[in-house]
Amino acid sequence: MIAWDLILAAAALFFLLLFAFLNGRPNRRAKRHIPAFSELRRTIDLSVEDGSRMQVSLGVGGLLGPQSAAALVGLSLLREVAETASDSDQPPIASSGDAALSLVAQDTLRAAYRRLSIRDQYDVSLGAVTGLTPFSYGAGTMPMILDNVVSGSALVGSFGLEAGLISAASQPQQRFTLGGSDSLSAQALLFASAQQPLIGEELYATGAYTDAGRMHDASLHAQDVLRWLLVIGLIANAVANLFGMGL
Protein backbone atom coordinates (compact mmCIF):
# COMPACT_ATOMS: atom_id res chain seq x y z
CA MET A 1 0.00 0.00 0.00
CA ILE A 2 2.84 2.38 0.82
CA ALA A 3 4.38 1.67 -2.61
CA TRP A 4 1.11 2.54 -4.37
CA ASP A 5 0.78 5.70 -2.30
CA LEU A 6 4.28 6.76 -3.34
CA ILE A 7 3.51 6.01 -6.98
CA LEU A 8 0.33 8.09 -6.86
CA ALA A 9 2.12 10.93 -5.09
CA ALA A 10 4.93 10.88 -7.67
CA ALA A 11 2.40 10.82 -10.53
CA ALA A 12 0.46 13.73 -9.01
CA LEU A 13 3.66 15.77 -8.63
CA PHE A 14 4.75 14.96 -12.20
CA PHE A 15 1.45 16.02 -13.77
CA LEU A 16 1.23 19.09 -11.54
CA LEU A 17 4.63 20.32 -12.71
CA LEU A 18 3.88 19.36 -16.31
CA PHE A 19 0.63 21.30 -16.47
CA ALA A 20 2.15 24.22 -14.57
CA PHE A 21 4.69 24.48 -17.41
CA LEU A 22 2.08 24.03 -20.15
CA ASN A 23 -0.30 26.55 -18.55
CA GLY A 24 2.32 29.24 -19.02
CA ARG A 25 1.80 28.92 -22.77
CA PRO A 26 -1.10 30.32 -24.85
CA ASN A 27 -4.21 28.31 -25.81
CA ARG A 28 -4.77 26.79 -22.40
CA ARG A 29 -7.50 24.15 -22.21
CA ALA A 30 -10.94 25.61 -21.49
CA LYS A 31 -12.48 24.69 -18.14
CA ARG A 32 -15.94 23.24 -17.67
CA HIS A 33 -18.53 25.88 -16.83
CA ILE A 34 -19.59 25.79 -13.16
CA PRO A 35 -22.40 28.33 -12.51
CA ALA A 36 -21.50 28.68 -8.81
CA PHE A 37 -18.24 30.47 -9.61
CA SER A 38 -19.85 32.78 -12.17
CA GLU A 39 -22.42 33.81 -9.58
CA LEU A 40 -19.70 34.25 -6.98
CA ARG A 41 -17.77 36.64 -9.22
CA ARG A 42 -20.97 38.56 -9.97
CA THR A 43 -21.83 38.84 -6.26
CA ILE A 44 -18.33 40.10 -5.39
CA ASP A 45 -18.52 42.78 -8.10
CA LEU A 46 -22.01 43.84 -6.96
CA SER A 47 -20.87 44.07 -3.33
CA VAL A 48 -18.19 46.56 -4.38
CA GLU A 49 -20.68 48.61 -6.38
CA ASP A 50 -23.49 48.81 -3.83
CA GLY A 51 -21.39 49.20 -0.69
CA SER A 52 -22.13 45.79 0.83
CA ARG A 53 -19.66 43.08 1.85
CA MET A 54 -18.85 39.42 1.36
CA GLN A 55 -18.46 36.99 4.24
CA VAL A 56 -16.12 34.01 3.83
CA SER A 57 -16.50 31.05 6.19
CA LEU A 58 -13.38 28.88 6.36
CA GLY A 59 -14.77 26.06 8.48
CA VAL A 60 -13.41 24.25 11.51
CA GLY A 61 -10.57 22.30 9.91
CA GLY A 62 -6.99 22.94 10.92
CA LEU A 63 -3.89 23.35 8.80
CA LEU A 64 -2.05 20.21 9.90
CA GLY A 65 -4.68 17.46 9.72
CA PRO A 66 -6.56 15.73 6.92
CA GLN A 67 -8.83 18.78 6.56
CA SER A 68 -5.91 21.03 5.63
CA ALA A 69 -6.59 20.77 1.87
CA ALA A 70 -10.11 22.20 2.25
CA ALA A 71 -8.81 24.92 4.58
CA LEU A 72 -6.17 25.97 2.04
CA VAL A 73 -8.83 26.13 -0.67
CA GLY A 74 -10.84 28.49 1.52
CA LEU A 75 -7.78 30.67 2.11
CA SER A 76 -7.12 30.93 -1.63
CA LEU A 77 -10.71 32.06 -2.15
CA LEU A 78 -10.38 34.58 0.68
CA ARG A 79 -7.28 36.03 -0.98
CA GLU A 80 -9.07 36.52 -4.29
CA VAL A 81 -12.15 38.06 -2.63
CA ALA A 82 -9.95 40.37 -0.55
CA GLU A 83 -7.92 41.57 -3.52
CA THR A 84 -11.12 42.38 -5.40
CA ALA A 85 -13.16 44.01 -2.64
CA SER A 86 -10.83 45.22 0.13
CA ASP A 87 -10.80 48.80 -1.18
CA SER A 88 -14.61 49.02 -1.11
CA ASP A 89 -16.67 50.76 1.58
CA GLN A 90 -17.37 47.43 3.29
CA PRO A 91 -14.36 45.09 2.99
CA PRO A 92 -14.86 41.31 3.16
CA ILE A 93 -14.77 39.50 6.49
CA ALA A 94 -13.72 35.95 7.36
CA SER A 95 -14.72 33.53 10.10
CA SER A 96 -13.10 30.28 11.17
CA GLY A 97 -13.30 27.69 13.92
CA ASP A 98 -9.58 27.13 14.36
CA ALA A 99 -7.11 29.53 15.96
CA ALA A 100 -4.21 28.79 13.60
CA LEU A 101 -6.48 29.06 10.56
CA SER A 102 -7.75 32.40 11.82
CA LEU A 103 -4.20 33.75 12.11
CA VAL A 104 -3.43 32.70 8.54
CA ALA A 105 -6.71 34.26 7.38
CA GLN A 106 -5.75 37.54 9.04
CA ASP A 107 -2.36 37.39 7.35
CA THR A 108 -4.05 36.69 4.01
CA LEU A 109 -6.23 39.77 4.40
CA ARG A 110 -3.26 41.86 5.54
CA ALA A 111 -1.27 40.80 2.46
CA ALA A 112 -4.18 41.78 0.18
CA TYR A 113 -4.32 45.24 1.76
CA ARG A 114 -0.57 45.56 1.31
CA ARG A 115 -0.76 44.65 -2.37
CA LEU A 116 -3.53 47.21 -2.86
CA SER A 117 -1.41 49.88 -1.10
CA ILE A 118 -4.09 50.46 1.54
CA ARG A 119 -2.26 48.82 4.43
CA ASP A 120 -3.37 51.54 6.86
CA GLN A 121 -7.02 50.54 6.35
CA TYR A 122 -6.53 46.95 7.49
CA ASP A 123 -8.43 45.94 10.63
CA VAL A 124 -7.45 42.73 12.42
CA SER A 125 -11.10 42.14 13.41
CA LEU A 126 -11.94 41.38 9.76
CA GLY A 127 -10.73 37.82 10.43
CA ALA A 128 -12.15 36.24 13.56
CA VAL A 129 -12.58 32.94 15.40
CA THR A 130 -16.31 32.65 16.03
CA GLY A 131 -16.20 29.36 17.95
CA LEU A 132 -13.81 26.52 18.72
CA THR A 133 -16.31 23.68 18.41
CA PRO A 134 -18.37 22.99 15.28
CA PHE A 135 -21.72 24.20 16.56
CA SER A 136 -20.33 27.13 18.54
CA TYR A 137 -18.57 28.14 15.33
CA GLY A 138 -21.86 27.91 13.44
CA ALA A 139 -23.70 29.90 16.11
CA GLY A 140 -20.99 32.55 16.14
CA THR A 141 -20.95 32.90 12.34
CA MET A 142 -24.71 33.30 11.92
CA PRO A 143 -24.85 36.88 13.31
CA MET A 144 -22.14 37.91 10.83
CA ILE A 145 -24.28 36.64 7.95
CA LEU A 146 -27.45 38.23 9.34
CA ASP A 147 -25.76 41.64 9.30
CA ASN A 148 -27.67 43.84 6.85
CA VAL A 149 -24.39 44.96 5.29
CA VAL A 150 -23.55 41.40 4.16
CA SER A 151 -24.84 40.65 0.65
CA GLY A 152 -23.35 37.19 0.14
CA SER A 153 -21.48 34.37 1.85
CA ALA A 154 -19.03 31.72 0.73
CA LEU A 155 -18.65 28.58 2.85
CA VAL A 156 -15.47 26.94 1.60
CA GLY A 157 -13.52 24.68 3.92
CA SER A 158 -14.02 21.73 6.23
CA PHE A 159 -17.53 21.75 7.71
CA GLY A 160 -19.79 19.27 9.42
CA LEU A 161 -23.48 19.49 10.22
CA GLU A 162 -23.04 23.11 11.34
CA ALA A 163 -22.90 24.05 7.65
CA GLY A 164 -26.69 23.78 7.59
CA LEU A 165 -27.03 26.41 10.34
CA ILE A 166 -24.67 28.82 8.60
CA SER A 167 -26.19 28.53 5.13
CA ALA A 168 -29.74 28.68 6.51
CA ALA A 169 -29.01 32.14 7.96
CA SER A 170 -28.93 33.57 4.42
CA GLN A 171 -32.24 32.06 3.31
CA PRO A 172 -34.75 34.57 4.81
CA GLN A 173 -33.08 37.47 2.94
CA GLN A 174 -32.40 35.26 -0.12
CA ARG A 175 -28.76 36.28 -0.11
CA PHE A 176 -26.20 34.55 -2.28
CA THR A 177 -24.58 31.54 -0.62
CA LEU A 178 -21.85 29.38 -2.10
CA GLY A 179 -21.10 26.21 -0.17
CA GLY A 180 -18.40 23.58 -0.47
CA SER A 181 -16.99 21.09 2.03
CA ASP A 182 -14.83 17.96 2.15
CA SER A 183 -17.52 16.21 4.23
CA LEU A 184 -20.30 14.23 2.53
CA SER A 185 -22.82 15.12 5.25
CA ALA A 186 -22.03 18.82 4.89
CA GLN A 187 -22.26 18.54 1.10
CA ALA A 188 -25.73 17.05 1.46
CA LEU A 189 -26.86 19.91 3.72
CA LEU A 190 -25.33 22.56 1.46
CA PHE A 191 -26.95 21.01 -1.59
CA ALA A 192 -30.32 21.57 0.05
CA SER A 193 -29.68 24.97 1.66
CA ALA A 194 -27.05 26.87 -0.35
CA GLN A 195 -27.97 28.72 -3.53
CA GLN A 196 -24.83 27.48 -5.25
CA PRO A 197 -23.45 24.23 -3.76
CA LEU A 198 -20.12 22.72 -4.82
CA ILE A 199 -20.36 18.97 -5.35
CA GLY A 200 -17.47 16.58 -4.83
CA GLU A 201 -14.14 17.70 -6.25
CA GLU A 202 -15.60 21.05 -7.37
CA LEU A 203 -14.44 22.34 -3.99
CA TYR A 204 -10.81 21.76 -4.97
CA ALA A 205 -11.34 23.56 -8.30
CA THR A 206 -12.11 26.83 -6.51
CA GLY A 207 -8.64 28.30 -6.99
CA ALA A 208 -8.62 27.55 -10.71
CA TYR A 209 -12.06 29.06 -11.26
CA THR A 210 -11.28 32.24 -9.31
CA ASP A 211 -8.00 32.88 -11.16
CA ALA A 212 -5.88 32.28 -8.07
CA GLY A 213 -2.81 31.36 -10.12
CA ARG A 214 -1.19 29.05 -12.62
CA MET A 215 -0.58 26.26 -10.10
CA HIS A 216 -4.29 26.05 -9.35
CA ASP A 217 -5.04 25.52 -13.05
CA ALA A 218 -2.29 22.89 -13.18
CA SER A 219 -3.74 21.14 -10.13
CA LEU A 220 -7.17 20.98 -11.76
CA HIS A 221 -5.77 19.43 -14.95
CA ALA A 222 -3.63 16.99 -12.95
CA GLN A 223 -6.75 15.84 -11.07
CA ASP A 224 -8.48 15.11 -14.38
CA VAL A 225 -5.57 13.01 -15.66
CA LEU A 226 -5.18 11.07 -12.40
CA ARG A 227 -8.92 10.40 -12.32
CA TRP A 228 -8.80 8.84 -15.79
CA LEU A 229 -5.70 6.84 -14.91
CA LEU A 230 -7.47 5.41 -11.86
CA VAL A 231 -10.54 4.53 -13.96
CA ILE A 232 -8.36 2.80 -16.54
CA GLY A 233 -6.47 0.98 -13.78
CA LEU A 234 -9.70 -0.27 -12.18
CA ILE A 235 -11.05 -1.49 -15.51
CA ALA A 236 -7.75 -3.19 -16.36
CA ASN A 237 -7.69 -4.91 -12.96
CA ALA A 238 -11.29 -6.07 -13.40
CA VAL A 239 -10.45 -7.57 -16.80
CA ALA A 240 -7.31 -9.19 -15.38
CA ASN A 241 -9.40 -10.76 -12.60
CA LEU A 242 -11.49 -12.51 -15.25
CA PHE A 243 -8.36 -14.36 -16.31
CA GLY A 244 -7.11 -14.93 -12.77
CA MET A 245 -4.34 -12.34 -13.04
CA GLY A 246 -5.78 -9.49 -10.93
CA LEU A 247 -3.82 -7.69 -8.24
Side-chain angles (χ1 to χ4, degrees):
M1 289 301 295
I2 296 178
W4 281 110
D5 291 342
L6 292 175
I7 291 173
L8 287 175
L13 179 61
F14 170 77
F15 286 114
L16 179 63
L17 295 176
L18 174 64
F19 284 115
F21 171 74
L22 295 177
N23 284 344
R25 298 180 172 185
N27 300 322
R28 291 182 297 176
R29 183 167 67 88
K31 295 188 285 287
R32 174 173 63 92
H33 176 65
I34 300 180
F37 296 115
S38 299
E39 287 298 314
L40 172 64
R41 176 60 61 186
R42 176 177 173 273
T43 302
I44 296 171
D45 292 340
L46 287 176
S47 70
V48 175
E49 293 177 6
D50 63 16
S52 58
R53 75 177 2 149
M54 282 289 299
Q55 191 272 341
V56 180
S57 298
L58 301 173
V60 296
L63 295 171
L64 300 177
Q67 299 88 10
S68 59
L72 292 173
V73 170
L75 288 171
S76 70
L77 174 62
L78 176 62
R79 183 186 65 187
E80 296 307 307
V81 173
E83 292 189 352
T84 303
S86 288
D87 58 348
S88 65
D89 294 336
Q90 298 291 340
I93 54 177
S95 66
S96 64
D98 179 81
L101 181 59
S102 179
L103 291 174
V104 179
Q106 291 173 356
D107 188 65
T108 300
L109 291 169
R110 185 183 295 107
Y113 276 76
R114 185 168 57 249
R115 281 190 289 268
L116 294 171
S117 300
I118 53 173
R119 189 173 182 176
D120 57 320
Q121 298 182 29
Y122 172 72
D123 184 351
V124 70
S125 64
L126 294 174
V129 175
T130 56
L132 293 176
T133 62
F135 282 99
S136 66
Y137 166 68
T141 303
M142 289 175 64
M144 300 174 67
I145 296 176
L146 293 172
D147 189 335
N148 291 329
V149 179
V150 174
S151 60
S153 299
L155 287 71
V156 178
S158 182
F159 296 89
L161 298 179
E162 73 280 0
L165 291 175
I166 300 173
S167 59
S170 299
Q171 291 182 0
Q173 292 80 18
Q174 297 184 341
R175 295 171 181 169
F176 171 82
T177 307
L178 178 143
S181 174
D182 57 354
S183 165
L184 291 177
S185 59
Q187 285 185 32
L189 285 169
L190 291 170
F191 184 80
S193 58
Q195 287 187 4
Q196 296 291 344
L198 299 177
I199 306 302
E201 73 276 7
E202 290 179 355
L203 167 69
Y204 302 103
T206 300
Y209 278 83
T210 54
D211 300 324
R214 188 171 66 177
M215 292 301 293
H216 290 273
D217 288 333
S219 174
L220 182 63
H221 296 166
Q223 288 177 47
D224 291 340
V225 172
L226 290 173
R227 185 182 300 111
W228 279 109
L229 288 177
L230 286 173
V231 170
I232 293 171
L234 290 172
I235 294 174
N237 188 54
V239 173
N241 280 328
L242 294 176
F243 298 95
M245 297 182 297
L247 295 178

PDB file of all heavy atoms in Angstrom, residues 23 28 31 76 79-80 206-219:
ATOM      1  N   ASN A  23       0.647  25.460 -18.767  1.00  0.00           N
ATOM      2  CA  ASN A  23      -0.304  26.551 -18.553  1.00  0.00           C
ATOM      3  C   ASN A  23       0.340  27.915 -18.711  1.00  0.00           C
ATOM      4  O   ASN A  23      -0.347  28.928 -18.752  1.00  0.00           O
ATOM      5  CB  ASN A  23      -0.941  26.443 -17.162  1.00  0.00           C
ATOM      6  CG  ASN A  23      -1.991  25.361 -17.115  1.00  0.00           C
ATOM      7  OD1 ASN A  23      -2.450  24.889 -18.137  1.00  0.00           O
ATOM      8  ND2 ASN A  23      -2.366  24.952 -15.914  1.00  0.00           N
ATOM      9  N   ARG A  28      -4.531  27.715 -23.498  1.00  0.00           N
ATOM     10  CA  ARG A  28      -4.771  26.786 -22.398  1.00  0.00           C
ATOM     11  C   ARG A  28      -6.136  26.115 -22.562  1.00  0.00           C
ATOM     12  O   ARG A  28      -7.066  26.703 -23.088  1.00  0.00           O
ATOM     13  CB  ARG A  28      -4.710  27.515 -21.051  1.00  0.00           C
ATOM     14  CG  ARG A  28      -3.324  27.987 -20.689  1.00  0.00           C
ATOM     15  CD  ARG A  28      -3.320  28.645 -19.327  1.00  0.00           C
ATOM     16  NE  ARG A  28      -4.134  29.835 -19.288  1.00  0.00           N
ATOM     17  CZ  ARG A  28      -4.357  30.531 -18.201  1.00  0.00           C
ATOM     18  NH1 ARG A  28      -3.865  30.151 -17.046  1.00  0.00           N
ATOM     19  NH2 ARG A  28      -5.091  31.620 -18.237  1.00  0.00           N
ATOM     20  N   LYS A  31     -11.932  25.400 -19.298  1.00  0.00           N
ATOM     21  CA  LYS A  31     -12.484  24.686 -18.144  1.00  0.00           C
ATOM     22  C   LYS A  31     -13.988  24.517 -18.301  1.00  0.00           C
ATOM     23  O   LYS A  31     -14.665  25.316 -18.940  1.00  0.00           O
ATOM     24  CB  LYS A  31     -12.181  25.463 -16.855  1.00  0.00           C
ATOM     25  CG  LYS A  31     -10.702  25.541 -16.536  1.00  0.00           C
ATOM     26  CD  LYS A  31     -10.461  26.140 -15.172  1.00  0.00           C
ATOM     27  CE  LYS A  31     -10.681  27.651 -15.150  1.00  0.00           C
ATOM     28  NZ  LYS A  31      -9.600  28.362 -15.836  1.00  0.00           N
ATOM     29  N   SER A  76      -7.361  30.408  -0.282  1.00  0.00           N
ATOM     30  CA  SER A  76      -7.115  30.927  -1.632  1.00  0.00           C
ATOM     31  C   SER A  76      -8.311  31.734  -2.122  1.00  0.00           C
ATOM     32  O   SER A  76      -8.146  32.775  -2.780  1.00  0.00           O
ATOM     33  CB  SER A  76      -6.809  29.780  -2.593  1.00  0.00           C
ATOM     34  OG  SER A  76      -7.950  28.982  -2.842  1.00  0.00           O
ATOM     35  N   ARG A  79      -8.271  35.122  -0.379  1.00  0.00           N
ATOM     36  CA  ARG A  79      -7.285  36.027  -0.976  1.00  0.00           C
ATOM     37  C   ARG A  79      -7.847  36.708  -2.213  1.00  0.00           C
ATOM     38  O   ARG A  79      -7.697  37.926  -2.390  1.00  0.00           O
ATOM     39  CB  ARG A  79      -6.021  35.247  -1.341  1.00  0.00           C
ATOM     40  CG  ARG A  79      -4.909  36.119  -1.911  1.00  0.00           C
ATOM     41  CD  ARG A  79      -3.747  35.288  -2.382  1.00  0.00           C
ATOM     42  NE  ARG A  79      -4.130  34.445  -3.510  1.00  0.00           N
ATOM     43  CZ  ARG A  79      -3.351  33.513  -4.044  1.00  0.00           C
ATOM     44  NH1 ARG A  79      -2.157  33.265  -3.507  1.00  0.00           N
ATOM     45  NH2 ARG A  79      -3.754  32.796  -5.070  1.00  0.00           N
ATOM     46  N   GLU A  80      -8.525  35.935  -3.064  1.00  0.00           N
ATOM     47  CA  GLU A  80      -9.072  36.523  -4.292  1.00  0.00           C
ATOM     48  C   GLU A  80     -10.200  37.494  -3.983  1.00  0.00           C
ATOM     49  O   GLU A  80     -10.316  38.557  -4.615  1.00  0.00           O
ATOM     50  CB  GLU A  80      -9.571  35.409  -5.220  1.00  0.00           C
ATOM     51  CG  GLU A  80      -8.483  34.482  -5.702  1.00  0.00           C
ATOM     52  CD  GLU A  80      -7.318  35.230  -6.327  1.00  0.00           C
ATOM     53  OE1 GLU A  80      -7.558  36.041  -7.235  1.00  0.00           O
ATOM     54  OE2 GLU A  80      -6.174  35.010  -5.906  1.00  0.00           O
ATOM     55  N   THR A 206     -11.809  25.427  -6.810  1.00  0.00           N
ATOM     56  CA  THR A 206     -12.113  26.828  -6.505  1.00  0.00           C
ATOM     57  C   THR A 206     -10.998  27.765  -6.946  1.00  0.00           C
ATOM     58  O   THR A 206     -11.246  28.805  -7.573  1.00  0.00           O
ATOM     59  CB  THR A 206     -12.379  26.999  -4.997  1.00  0.00           C
ATOM     60  OG1 THR A 206     -13.494  26.192  -4.616  1.00  0.00           O
ATOM     61  CG2 THR A 206     -12.688  28.450  -4.673  1.00  0.00           C
ATOM     62  N   GLY A 207      -9.758  27.436  -6.633  1.00  0.00           N
ATOM     63  CA  GLY A 207      -8.643  28.304  -6.988  1.00  0.00           C
ATOM     64  C   GLY A 207      -8.527  28.512  -8.482  1.00  0.00           C
ATOM     65  O   GLY A 207      -8.282  29.633  -8.949  1.00  0.00           O
ATOM     66  N   ALA A 208      -8.714  27.443  -9.255  1.00  0.00           N
ATOM     67  CA  ALA A 208      -8.616  27.550 -10.708  1.00  0.00           C
ATOM     68  C   ALA A 208      -9.729  28.411 -11.289  1.00  0.00           C
ATOM     69  O   ALA A 208      -9.508  29.173 -12.233  1.00  0.00           O
ATOM     70  CB  ALA A 208      -8.653  26.155 -11.332  1.00  0.00           C
ATOM     71  N   TYR A 209     -10.922  28.332 -10.715  1.00  0.00           N
ATOM     72  CA  TYR A 209     -12.062  29.065 -11.257  1.00  0.00           C
ATOM     73  C   TYR A 209     -12.128  30.512 -10.763  1.00  0.00           C
ATOM     74  O   TYR A 209     -12.926  31.295 -11.266  1.00  0.00           O
ATOM     75  CB  TYR A 209     -13.363  28.337 -10.918  1.00  0.00           C
ATOM     76  CG  TYR A 209     -13.665  27.205 -11.864  1.00  0.00           C
ATOM     77  CD1 TYR A 209     -13.089  25.947 -11.683  1.00  0.00           C
ATOM     78  CD2 TYR A 209     -14.505  27.381 -12.948  1.00  0.00           C
ATOM     79  CE1 TYR A 209     -13.345  24.900 -12.544  1.00  0.00           C
ATOM     80  CE2 TYR A 209     -14.781  26.336 -13.817  1.00  0.00           C
ATOM     81  CZ  TYR A 209     -14.192  25.107 -13.617  1.00  0.00           C
ATOM     82  OH  TYR A 209     -14.451  24.078 -14.485  1.00  0.00           O
ATOM     83  N   THR A 210     -11.335  30.847  -9.781  1.00  0.00           N
ATOM     84  CA  THR A 210     -11.284  32.236  -9.312  1.00  0.00           C
ATOM     85  C   THR A 210      -9.965  32.908  -9.685  1.00  0.00           C
ATOM     86  O   THR A 210      -9.610  33.937  -9.123  1.00  0.00           O
ATOM     87  CB  THR A 210     -11.479  32.301  -7.788  1.00  0.00           C
ATOM     88  OG1 THR A 210     -10.524  31.449  -7.133  1.00  0.00           O
ATOM     89  CG2 THR A 210     -12.888  31.866  -7.396  1.00  0.00           C
ATOM     90  N   ASP A 211      -9.248  32.303 -10.638  1.00  0.00           N
ATOM     91  CA  ASP A 211      -8.003  32.882 -11.165  1.00  0.00           C
ATOM     92  C   ASP A 211      -6.975  33.127 -10.063  1.00  0.00           C
ATOM     93  O   ASP A 211      -6.343  34.183 -10.009  1.00  0.00           O
ATOM     94  CB  ASP A 211      -8.291  34.194 -11.917  1.00  0.00           C
ATOM     95  CG  ASP A 211      -9.225  33.985 -13.096  1.00  0.00           C
ATOM     96  OD1 ASP A 211      -9.124  32.933 -13.737  1.00  0.00           O
ATOM     97  OD2 ASP A 211     -10.057  34.867 -13.368  1.00  0.00           O
ATOM     98  N   ALA A 212      -6.823  32.133  -9.185  1.00  0.00           N
ATOM     99  CA  ALA A 212      -5.879  32.281  -8.074  1.00  0.00           C
ATOM    100  C   ALA A 212      -4.429  32.074  -8.493  1.00  0.00           C
ATOM    101  O   ALA A 212      -3.532  32.393  -7.727  1.00  0.00           O
ATOM    102  CB  ALA A 212      -6.238  31.301  -6.959  1.00  0.00           C
ATOM    103  N   GLY A 213      -4.193  31.539  -9.679  1.00  0.00           N
ATOM    104  CA  GLY A 213      -2.815  31.363 -10.118  1.00  0.00           C
ATOM    105  C   GLY A 213      -2.637  30.158 -11.008  1.00  0.00           C
ATOM    106  O   GLY A 213      -3.513  29.283 -11.116  1.00  0.00           O
ATOM    107  N   ARG A 214      -1.488  30.105 -11.658  1.00  0.00           N
ATOM    108  CA  ARG A 214      -1.193  29.047 -12.621  1.00  0.00           C
ATOM    109  C   ARG A 214      -1.171  27.675 -11.976  1.00  0.00           C
ATOM    110  O   ARG A 214      -1.599  26.686 -12.581  1.00  0.00           O
ATOM    111  CB  ARG A 214       0.157  29.342 -13.280  1.00  0.00           C
ATOM    112  CG  ARG A 214       0.490  28.410 -14.429  1.00  0.00           C
ATOM    113  CD  ARG A 214       1.723  28.883 -15.174  1.00  0.00           C
ATOM    114  NE  ARG A 214       2.914  28.801 -14.340  1.00  0.00           N
ATOM    115  CZ  ARG A 214       4.137  29.110 -14.775  1.00  0.00           C
ATOM    116  NH1 ARG A 214       4.298  29.558 -15.998  1.00  0.00           N
ATOM    117  NH2 ARG A 214       5.182  28.988 -13.959  1.00  0.00           N
ATOM    118  N   MET A 215      -0.658  27.562 -10.751  1.00  0.00           N
ATOM    119  CA  MET A 215      -0.578  26.261 -10.102  1.00  0.00           C
ATOM    120  C   MET A 215      -1.958  25.680  -9.810  1.00  0.00           C
ATOM    121  O   MET A 215      -2.125  24.462  -9.781  1.00  0.00           O
ATOM    122  CB  MET A 215       0.234  26.373  -8.809  1.00  0.00           C
ATOM    123  CG  MET A 215       1.710  26.661  -9.019  1.00  0.00           C
ATOM    124  SD  MET A 215       2.549  25.408 -10.020  1.00  0.00           S
ATOM    125  CE  MET A 215       2.490  23.985  -8.928  1.00  0.00           C
ATOM    126  N   HIS A 216      -2.929  26.542  -9.581  1.00  0.00           N
ATOM    127  CA  HIS A 216      -4.290  26.051  -9.353  1.00  0.00           C
ATOM    128  C   HIS A 216      -4.864  25.449 -10.636  1.00  0.00           C
ATOM    129  O   HIS A 216      -5.547  24.420 -10.595  1.00  0.00           O
ATOM    130  CB  HIS A 216      -5.178  27.184  -8.852  1.00  0.00           C
ATOM    131  CG  HIS A 216      -4.862  27.628  -7.460  1.00  0.00           C
ATOM    132  ND1 HIS A 216      -5.420  27.039  -6.348  1.00  0.00           N
ATOM    133  CD2 HIS A 216      -4.029  28.587  -6.995  1.00  0.00           C
ATOM    134  CE1 HIS A 216      -4.952  27.618  -5.255  1.00  0.00           C
ATOM    135  NE2 HIS A 216      -4.105  28.561  -5.619  1.00  0.00           N
ATOM    136  N   ASP A 217      -4.613  26.090 -11.769  1.00  0.00           N
ATOM    137  CA  ASP A 217      -5.039  25.517 -13.051  1.00  0.00           C
ATOM    138  C   ASP A 217      -4.343  24.178 -13.286  1.00  0.00           C
ATOM    139  O   ASP A 217      -4.963  23.203 -13.731  1.00  0.00           O
ATOM    140  CB  ASP A 217      -4.713  26.476 -14.196  1.00  0.00           C
ATOM    141  CG  ASP A 217      -5.614  27.702 -14.207  1.00  0.00           C
ATOM    142  OD1 ASP A 217      -6.750  27.595 -13.713  1.00  0.00           O
ATOM    143  OD2 ASP A 217      -5.174  28.748 -14.697  1.00  0.00           O
ATOM    144  N   ALA A 218      -3.048  24.136 -12.997  1.00  0.00           N
ATOM    145  CA  ALA A 218      -2.291  22.892 -13.176  1.00  0.00           C
ATOM    146  C   ALA A 218      -2.827  21.782 -12.290  1.00  0.00           C
ATOM    147  O   ALA A 218      -2.934  20.622 -12.707  1.00  0.00           O
ATOM    148  CB  ALA A 218      -0.815  23.148 -12.880  1.00  0.00           C
ATOM    149  N   SER A 219      -3.180  22.129 -11.059  1.00  0.00           N
ATOM    150  CA  SER A 219      -3.737  21.139 -10.131  1.00  0.00           C
ATOM    151  C   SER A 219      -5.044  20.568 -10.660  1.00  0.00           C
ATOM    152  O   SER A 219      -5.294  19.360 -10.567  1.00  0.00           O
ATOM    153  CB  SER A 219      -3.949  21.785  -8.761  1.00  0.00           C
ATOM    154  OG  SER A 219      -4.606  20.893  -7.890  1.00  0.00           O
TER     155      SER A 219
END
